[in-house]
Amino acid sequence: MDRAIDSQLEDLKKLTLEMGGLVEKALVMVSAGLLKKEPSHLQEVFKIEGLINDLQIKIDNECLQVLAKQGPVAKDLRLILSIIKINTDLERMGDQCVNISYISRELIERGFLNSLKDIEEMIEAVTKMVKASLDSFVKMDPNIARSVLDMDDAVDNYKKKINQHSIQMMKTDVNSLQDHLDFILIARNLERLGDHATNIAEDVIFAFTGKDIRHGSND
Amino acid sequence: MDRAIDSQLEDLKKLTLEMGGLVEKALVMVSAGLLKKEPSHLQEVFKIEGLINDLQIKIDNECLQVLAKQGPVAKDLRLILSIIKINTDLERMGDQCVNISYISRELIERGFLNSLKDIEEMIEAVTKMVKASLDSFVKMDPNIARSVLDMDDAVDNYKKKINQHSIQMMKTDVNSLQDHLDFILIARNLERLGDHATNIAEDVIFAFTGKDIRHGSND
């Protein structure tokens, strides 16, 4: 069946992936900026966030148009509602990247010396989650989406590890207190990025299976 | 004009307000639990969050039904899309209340002694924002919604004040380090509650004027 709505839904999916690609790029720049202590990469994040914000409004508008003109039902309707929600999550992921960039910029300006090994690993774990959540959306694959939910524990464990270590360091070395507080805050922002990836995965499962698995309500 | 969709929209609005009322109740319990050092109030927050989660799924389902059966357009469509987004924000506000409750429970268990004056005032400021955002929705009043956006600065200022004071205290009194870290984290959760109230206000403005004011894109 060749329907006008099909090409509109394809366009919406492409825009959503474009936005997802921007979030991935922002994460790469956050990582490069912080780990290489290179503020110019962090500056890129602020630019990318502007593009993400513009796309959010564009996608929301197009969803509204398709809903108003096509009156979609069943699977098509679920897909559009999922795109609206994924759109919101992606925009907030951009905000989280910006938050981390602000904190990182101050850390770099202060010339911090501490190891970023755990943060580097946590960024990798979150990046994997984000990639998999977008992959589940591209391939419309609820199994990949389910794998995202399983990755959340690893991210939470990194947060706990960074928390504990940083608190210990704050107690023993008052001079590095602000740096370690910043690591705690970066870890919380990264954890939230992971939460948004989880939301996206849940939306994909809902869009393609009709099952709402939030809050353990199903499955 | 007496339309079937009108009563369905009324029902959706009532459910959204019911959910908003639960978020307000959770905030009252967070405040009472922390300020009176009374864990039983915090326990209530966990119960309320369960109700919020159930309502989120119910509202999303009903929105889907109305979209599928009525194929609404224009103002009706915008209202439903706003409700879907407000629903997401309210659910995450419940999560923030739960986060604060966990931190508060540990603070109380450790028998902290510090003044909560700034946190108390910040809770009041956030509660005002939340109330006004729900009020703008009930009364469909974009002017009240705009007033919510103006309240955000006061909340941000409390966060900064609590941040600065807590860092100072952490540096001078290592024994209260964990308590002051907790105050910083509570202030961040409160700030985020304010951000969600802002999102709700923006959705109300969009629903009732058709203007998308996010990211300074209009207005």
Side-chain angles (χ1 to χ4, degrees):
Chain A
M1 192 163 52
D2 194 17
R3 309 171 305 165
I5 194 174
D6 285 335
S7 75
Q8 290 166 343
L9 292 177
E10 270 314 305
D11 285 347
L12 273 173
K13 275 200 252 178
K14 270 185 207 149
L15 286 173
T16 307
L17 286 174
E18 190 184 328
M19 190 149 161
L22 287 171
V23 169
E24 285 188 295
K25 201 171 154 190
L27 251 176
V28 169
M29 288 297 146
V30 161
S31 174
L34 180 60
L35 301 175
K36 295 178 187 162
K37 303 187 182 185
E38 185 47 79
S40 65
H41 295 315
L42 301 174
Q43 212 52 40
E44 278 298 305
V45 178
F46 301 117
K47 282 190 211 157
I48 296 169
E49 196 225 4
L51 302 175
I52 289 172
N53 291 346
D54 292 344
L55 257 181
Q56 184 195 20
I57 289 174
K58 184 173 179 185
I59 291 172
D60 263 358
N61 276 338
E62 305 227 342
C63 285
L64 191 82
Q65 296 301 322
V66 178
L67 285 170
K69 290 185 184 156
Q70 304 285 352
V73 293
K75 198 161 163 269
D76 296 336
L77 178 57
R78 288 205 308 272
L79 177 61
I80 294 174
L81 292 185
S82 298
I83 286 174
I84 290 172
K85 290 184 179 187
I86 290 171
N87 192 26
T88 306
D89 277 302
L90 288 172
E91 189 270 335
R92 296 195 185 156
M93 288 161 97
D95 290 343
Q96 299 296 333
C97 289
V98 162
N99 289 346
I100 299 174
S101 296
Y102 277 123
I103 302 171
S104 301
R105 204 163 62 178
E106 288 184 14
L107 269 166
I108 294 169
E109 276 170 14
R110 279 201 310 276
F112 74 102
L113 293 166
N114 309 283
S115 162
L116 290 172
K117 191 175 156 286
D118 287 338
I119 295 220
E120 183 171 4
E121 287 178 13
M122 188 172 180
I123 293 176
E124 279 168 22
V126 169
T127 302
K128 253 174 78 178
M129 267 184 96
V130 173
K131 273 188 197 305
S133 71
L134 293 170
D135 200 33
S136 74
F137 178 75
V138 184
K139 298 186 180 147
M140 309 187 182
D141 187 333
N143 288 325
I144 301 176
R146 277 176 221 278
S147 78
V148 175
L149 311 185
D150 295 334
M151 292 178 198
D152 203 35
D153 281 350
V155 170
D156 283 351
N157 286 337
Y158 277 116
K159 190 201 74 173
K160 279 181 203 150
K161 195 177 166 192
I162 291 166
N163 238 4
Q164 282 169 1
H165 177 72
S166 300
I167 291 172
Q168 201 49 45
M169 290 302 291
M170 288 161 104
K171 285 182 178 166
T172 52
D173 176 19
V174 74
N175 293 320
S176 71
L177 190 143
Q178 179 73 58
D179 293 350
H180 284 100
L181 174 59
D182 286 347
F183 297 149
I184 289 174
L185 298 180
I186 288 175
R188 291 190 101 78
N189 280 298
L190 288 171
E191 182 200 24
R192 223 169 285 269
L193 272 158
D195 289 342
H196 287 297
T198 298
N199 294 339
I200 291 175
E202 288 174 345
D203 287 329
V204 168
I205 292 169
F206 175 70
F208 299 115
T209 70
K211 277 189 197 169
D212 192 334
I213 64 156
R214 294 173 299 182
H215 318 306
S217 65
N218 210 323
D219 190 295
Chain B
M1 189 162 56
D2 194 19
R3 310 169 305 162
I5 193 171
D6 285 335
S7 75
Q8 288 165 345
L9 291 177
E10 271 313 307
D11 285 347
L12 273 172
K13 277 200 251 173
K14 269 185 208 152
L15 284 174
T16 306
L17 286 174
E18 190 183 326
M19 191 150 160
L22 286 171
V23 169
E24 286 189 293
K25 201 171 155 192
L27 251 175
V28 169
M29 287 297 146
V30 161
S31 174
L34 179 59
L35 301 175
K36 295 178 188 163
K37 304 189 183 185
E38 186 46 79
S40 65
H41 294 316
L42 301 173
Q43 211 53 39
E44 279 298 305
V45 179
F46 303 116
K47 281 189 212 157
I48 295 169
E49 195 225 6
L51 301 175
I52 290 174
N53 291 346
D54 291 345
L55 255 182
Q56 183 194 21
I57 289 174
K58 185 174 178 182
I59 291 172
D60 263 359
N61 276 337
E62 305 225 343
C63 286
L64 190 82
Q65 296 299 324
V66 178
L67 285 169
K69 290 186 183 153
Q70 304 284 353
V73 294
K75 197 160 163 273
D76 295 337
L77 178 57
R78 289 205 308 273
L79 176 61
I80 293 175
L81 292 185
S82 298
I83 286 174
I84 290 173
K85 289 182 181 187
I86 290 170
N87 192 25
T88 306
D89 277 301
L90 289 171
E91 190 270 335
R92 295 197 186 154
M93 289 160 96
D95 290 344
Q96 300 295 333
C97 289
V98 162
N99 289 346
I100 300 173
S101 297
Y102 278 124
I103 302 171
S104 301
R105 203 163 63 177
E106 288 184 14
L107 269 167
I108 294 169
E109 276 170 16
R110 277 201 310 278
F112 73 103
L113 293 167
N114 309 281
S115 160
L116 291 172
K117 189 175 159 287
D118 288 336
I119 295 220
E120 182 170 5
E121 286 178 17
M122 188 171 180
I123 293 175
E124 277 168 23
V126 169
T127 302
K128 251 173 82 177
M129 268 185 97
V130 173
K131 272 187 196 307
S133 70
L134 294 171
D135 199 33
S136 73
F137 179 75
V138 184
K139 297 184 181 149
M140 309 188 181
D141 186 334
N143 289 326
I144 301 176
R146 277 176 220 278
S147 77
V148 175
L149 311 185
D150 295 333
M151 294 179 197
D152 203 34
D153 280 351
V155 169
D156 283 350
N157 287 338
Y158 277 117
K159 189 201 75 171
K160 279 180 202 148
K161 194 176 167 195
I162 291 167
N163 237 4
Q164 282 168 2
H165 177 72
S166 299
I167 291 173
Q168 202 48 47
M169 290 301 292
M170 286 161 104
K171 283 181 179 167
T172 50
D173 176 18
V174 74
N175 293 322
S176 70
L177 191 142
Q178 179 72 58
D179 291 351
H180 284 99
L181 175 59
D182 286 347
F183 296 149
I184 289 175
L185 298 180
I186 287 174
R188 291 191 101 78
N189 281 300
L190 287 171
E191 182 200 23
R192 222 168 287 270
L193 273 158
D195 289 342
H196 287 297
T198 298
N199 293 339
I200 290 174
E202 287 174 346
D203 286 329
V204 167
I205 292 170
F206 174 70
F208 299 114
T209 70
K211 277 189 195 168
D212 192 334
I213 63 155
R214 293 175 300 183
H215 317 307
S217 64
N218 211 325
D219 191 296

